[in-house]
Amino acid sequence: MKRSTFFRFAAPSIFMMTVLMVIPLIMAIWLGMQFMTFANITEPQFVGLRNYIDVLSDGRFWQSFRFTALYVAVVVPSTIVIGFTVALLLDQVSQFTRGIYLSIFLLPFIIVPIVGTLMFKQLFEPSGLFTYLYQTILDTKFRYTDVSVKVLILLYGIWYVTPFALVTYFAGLQTLSQDQLEAASMDGATRWQKIRHIVIPHVQSLTILILLISIMDAYRVFDSVFVLSEMNPIYKADTVMTYTFQTAITVQRLGKANAMAILTVVGVMIVLIPNLIQSYRQQIEER
Amino acid sequence: MDKVKSPLGRSLIHGFLVLFAIYSFIPFFWTALQSFKSLKDANSRTPKFIFTPTWDNYTDLWLRAVPENGATIAYFLLMAVVVLICLLLFAQYIPIRNGVIYAFVTFGFIALLWGIPRLVETAKFYDYFINTIIVTVGTVVVSISIGCLAGYSLARYTGMAGVVVLVAALGFRALPRLAFILPYYWIGTATHLLDTHLLVILTMVAVNQPFTIWMLRSFFMEIPRELEESAMVDGANRLTAFIKVIIPIMWPGIISTALFSLLLAYNEFLLVRLLTQTNWTLPVAISRFTGGEDPRHLTLAAASAVSATIPIVLVILFFQKNLVKGLAAGAVKG
């Protein structure tokens, strides 16, 4: 394809990305340097880097950063382990039963996150099923505390993201080389050895993919935290995203919120750039 | 993998899968149950599994006043929906051109959605439902049409510019939404577009664009170049070749991508929450029911959660194969 044809075809998309992604990003840097509330949104006051310094010396920002890191560290590995295990088990059953199981397993993934969290929360309301079970089994009352709310957020995260890892692994298992497995059986390899030395290396590229995507999604977590913590600061369960939201909406410090978003972008970029360079090289090679 | 043969092993596998199914399903089950309970039953400290079901929560959510002939109207509407869905399902067996049937069904659904508020007094929740449909359909149509063009050209063009666009899109996809949405709020205020469908659709298209073009590109890559090249030898220009030759065989890929784009638009909370004040979509409207002071929030939240889930589950059941295929092939997710 000629260069000019490419630009003609891709023009609407490139225009959209420039006007609604590149320019807003640059604007956010500039807006981060303003003192701005909803009252003076049309005539903000320039304060230089003060907002950025404000954010970096804000204890609650670092607290929300730590919880976001904890969320990523717990949710991502759990979904990979559970997803892989269930995919292996699903691979064992017949074609027909697979379909039924798969449609049930996919439910948490297709549902609106806000609604899913709401449904999840219904189980832990004072009249909820799990509240009742918790009280009968452990004989203590289930309360919303800073620990239990955090645990609920983590549990929901695992419940919600696992189907994605599961389906991806399951699709990967369908392309396993049968010859290799048979050869391994001839040599007397046990089931565990086959999983360890054939299946896991086979799905390795998928594991990297799932890791990348779920990390990207995990640090941006917002909806479930919004519902489960009810944005109540006493639970100390803010993530970077919900804290930025609160700074913008509740506290009405739009400039500071923009600065916070930009600092998050910078943080993400540091992690992301090696990946981007790698996929850049990959694309160059493939063409 | 070779299958486990021992009966004990097989029953263990099924046992575990059933447990996992229960784990995936239990929030849905419990919420659906709560949504049919009266306030007293729903607030009972010991879970009630046997109770007199009631539609009250749903009628309170959707209607301002329950009409006297409510049951008849509900029956009529349900029948109309069933007929339309059947037409869609069996379109290929009816000896009329499929395009005509699809157009008729689309028209039928629009007429229904338009007619309902004229038959009964609907509550605010119905308006939010309509907003959701407008925003979702708008986003899917715009992002798929411009995404197809970009995805196709990115699959065929091998120059440097293509690589730069692709990698930039990947980078944008990873960034936190708020970094874009806060400036959108400012843009919206400056242009007085805040609280309009147009702004929500355009920004939603922009935010989902990186994902759409990557996924569509991966589908276009699977189509051999010879196809459009032979058409171009026959004298068609690239655009005609693209529309006449490539698009017709791309439908499965387009549907997969459209499905993901639909889920993203239907699910979006943060963007709509910040860019609208009254023209909410369902996720934002439903979030109001969390932790309210009103004791009714429990059952209303359950009913609204179920109401928002049913349409999306229907769509997914229709296209489940495309969804699984998209997950496996596209290797990108919003």
Side-chain angles (χ1 to χ4, degrees):
Chain A
M1 188 186 263
K2 272 191 288 201
R3 194 188 158 92
S4 59
T5 333
F6 164 70
F7 276 112
R8 233 175 296 148
F9 269 73
S13 239
I14 294 175
F15 177 75
M16 203 79 178
M17 280 209 270
T18 320
V19 173
L20 287 173
M21 301 205 100
V22 180
I23 293 177
L25 212 53
I26 296 166
M27 266 176 67
I29 301 175
W30 175 75
L31 289 172
M33 294 183 192
Q34 315 286 329
F35 177 80
M36 189 165 74
T37 62
F38 287 109
N40 71 339
I41 192 159
T42 43
E43 38 198 40
Q45 188 191 341
F46 186 78
V47 289
L49 289 177
R50 201 174 311 154
N51 283 326
Y52 291 90
I53 296 163
D54 240 25
V55 174
L56 290 175
S57 53
D58 183 346
R60 272 190 72 192
F61 174 73
W62 290 108
Q63 190 190 2
S64 65
F65 178 78
R66 279 196 298 275
F67 182 58
T68 313
L70 177 76
Y71 183 90
V72 176
V74 172
V75 170
V76 174
S78 313
T79 53
I80 286 192
V81 172
I82 300 173
F84 184 63
T85 317
V86 179
L88 276 180
L89 292 175
L90 198 61
D91 193 43
Q92 293 284 329
V93 301
S94 69
Q95 200 85 37
F96 174 71
T97 18
R98 264 178 204 177
I100 299 172
Y101 280 129
L102 210 55
S103 15
I104 299 174
F105 294 168
L106 270 176
L107 272 176
F109 175 71
I110 56 163
I111 196 171
V112 186
I114 282 282
V115 171
T117 324
L118 212 71
M119 290 183 158
F120 199 74
K121 196 168 174 243
Q122 291 264 345
L123 291 168
F124 297 95
E125 295 282 355
S127 59
L129 188 59
F130 275 145
T131 316
Y132 175 76
L133 290 176
Y134 186 91
Q135 281 166 6
T136 350
I137 295 168
L138 294 176
D139 205 29
T140 42
K141 215 166 149 44
F142 178 83
R143 279 177 217 284
Y144 277 78
T145 61
D146 56 338
V147 178
S148 68
V149 165
K150 280 180 190 161
V151 171
L152 285 190
I153 292 172
L154 295 175
L155 281 179
Y156 175 77
I158 297 170
W159 182 77
Y160 170 59
V161 192
T162 306
F164 168 62
L166 196 168
V167 176
T168 314
Y169 275 131
F170 180 71
L173 288 180
Q174 307 312 306
T175 59
L176 261 177
S177 126
Q178 292 303 321
D179 299 348
Q180 226 178 348
L181 285 171
E182 265 165 41
S185 303
M186 299 261 201
D187 292 345
T190 60
R191 183 170 296 277
W192 169 245
Q193 282 172 327
K194 277 187 259 177
I195 293 176
R196 175 74 190 75
H197 296 291
I198 301 174
V199 180
I200 292 185
H202 175 77
V203 295
Q204 201 195 4
S205 61
L206 292 179
T207 308
I208 294 170
L209 179 88
I210 298 170
L211 260 177
L212 265 178
I213 291 176
S214 45
I215 291 175
M216 282 201 277
D217 286 344
Y219 73 71
R220 289 191 295 195
V221 59
F222 180 85
D223 300 11
S224 60
V225 185
F226 183 89
V227 173
L228 286 171
S229 74
E230 292 169 9
M231 297 301 240
N232 192 335
I234 62 164
Y235 298 134
K236 301 191 179 75
D238 280 322
T239 60
V240 174
M241 288 296 101
T242 56
Y243 187 50
T244 313
F245 178 87
Q246 274 181 331
T247 312
I249 301 301
T250 324
V251 194
Q252 302 208 352
R253 290 281 308 272
L254 284 172
K256 188 181 168 189
N258 269 299
M260 217 180 276
I262 285 299
L263 286 173
T264 320
V265 168
V266 172
V268 171
M269 273 302 180
I270 294 173
V271 187
L272 192 67
I273 280 177
N275 278 310
L276 287 182
I277 291 175
Q278 199 208 346
S279 68
Y280 179 77
R281 290 217 183 100
Q282 204 181 335
Q283 293 297 332
I284 298 270
E285 264 170 45
E286 275 175 17
R287 68 194 170 131
Chain B
M1 282 283 282
D2 41 340
K3 302 262 195 277
V4 174
K5 294 216 175 60
S6 75
L8 179 71
R10 294 211 66 79
S11 39
L12 272 178
I13 289 171
H14 276 282
F16 187 84
L17 286 174
V18 167
L19 271 183
F20 194 75
I22 293 174
Y23 157 85
S24 306
F25 195 66
I26 200 149
F28 297 90
F29 170 73
W30 179 250
T31 311
L33 215 59
Q34 290 284 63
S35 74
F36 286 109
K37 288 179 184 174
S38 68
L39 197 58
K40 192 163 149 283
D41 285 339
N43 275 316
S44 144
R45 286 293 184 269
T46 39
K48 282 199 172 171
F49 289 100
I50 296 157
F51 56 91
T52 353
T54 159
W55 286 101
D56 285 359
N57 302 314
Y58 288 95
T59 47
D60 282 0
L61 187 69
W62 287 93
L63 301 174
R64 215 173 299 146
V66 184
E68 277 172 36
N69 51 352
T72 330
I73 295 178
Y75 181 74
F76 163 75
L77 289 176
L78 192 69
M79 278 300 115
V81 171
V82 168
V83 167
L84 288 174
I85 288 178
C86 284
L87 271 177
L88 262 191
L89 274 178
F90 301 112
Q92 59 213 86
Y93 306 112
I94 302 171
I96 309 172
R97 264 183 52 202
N98 280 358
V100 179
I101 298 176
Y102 294 145
F104 176 77
V105 172
T106 318
F107 180 76
F109 274 119
I110 294 173
L112 263 184
L113 290 173
W114 179 84
I116 287 171
R118 278 146 193 87
L119 276 175
V120 286
E121 275 183 75
T122 49
K124 268 276 175 211
F125 198 77
Y126 185 80
D127 301 341
Y128 301 139
F129 181 62
I130 298 289
N131 284 339
T132 313
I133 293 179
I134 296 173
V135 166
T136 308
V137 172
T139 307
V140 170
V141 169
V142 178
S143 61
I144 291 299
S145 34
I146 67 175
C148 267
L149 289 168
Y152 169 71
S153 60
L154 284 167
R156 292 293 187 258
Y157 178 63
T158 47
M160 208 56 176
V163 180
V164 171
V165 171
L166 274 174
V167 175
L170 195 67
F172 286 138
R173 201 183 101 60
L175 294 183
R177 296 262 166 95
L178 267 172
F180 302 111
I181 297 173
L182 288 172
Y184 291 161
Y185 184 86
W186 195 86
I187 295 174
T189 323
T191 53
H192 299 286
L193 281 176
L194 222 54
D195 211 18
T196 59
H197 292 318
L198 183 71
L199 183 73
V200 174
I201 291 174
L202 283 181
T203 52
M204 207 119 86
V205 169
V207 172
N208 295 338
Q209 193 62 186
F211 154 77
T212 327
I213 59 178
W214 266 87
M215 192 161 177
L216 282 167
R217 174 179 172 267
S218 72
F219 283 118
F220 280 120
M221 298 276 267
E222 289 167 15
I223 295 175
R225 278 157 200 266
E226 289 74 31
L227 270 174
E228 80 255 23
E229 271 161 13
S230 64
M232 280 158 68
V233 168
D234 291 344
N237 70 16
R238 199 172 268 276
L239 190 64
T240 345
F242 173 66
I243 293 169
K244 291 261 165 68
V245 182
I246 302 296
I247 291 287
I249 48 172
M250 257 295 282
W251 271 121
I254 293 179
I255 291 176
S256 287
T257 317
L259 207 59
F260 277 93
S261 179
L262 180 140
L263 280 177
L264 289 172
Y266 193 85
N267 292 351
E268 183 63 53
F269 171 72
L270 185 54
L271 191 146
V272 185
R273 171 71 177 73
L274 272 167
L275 299 183
T276 60
Q277 277 124 27
T278 53
N279 281 321
W280 293 339
T281 59
L282 287 182
V284 182
I286 288 171
S287 78
R288 262 195 339 169
F289 294 118
T290 58
E293 297 300 314
D294 180 1
R296 302 219 43 193
H297 81 262
L298 190 68
T299 47
L300 278 182
S304 67
V306 174
S307 303
T309 307
I310 287 171
I312 211 72
V313 167
L314 283 182
V315 172
I316 295 298
L317 281 182
F318 239 79
F319 295 108
Q320 193 186 3
K321 281 221 174 70
N322 298 83
L323 184 82
V324 175
K325 201 172 122 200
L327 271 171
V332 265
K333 178 190 144 268

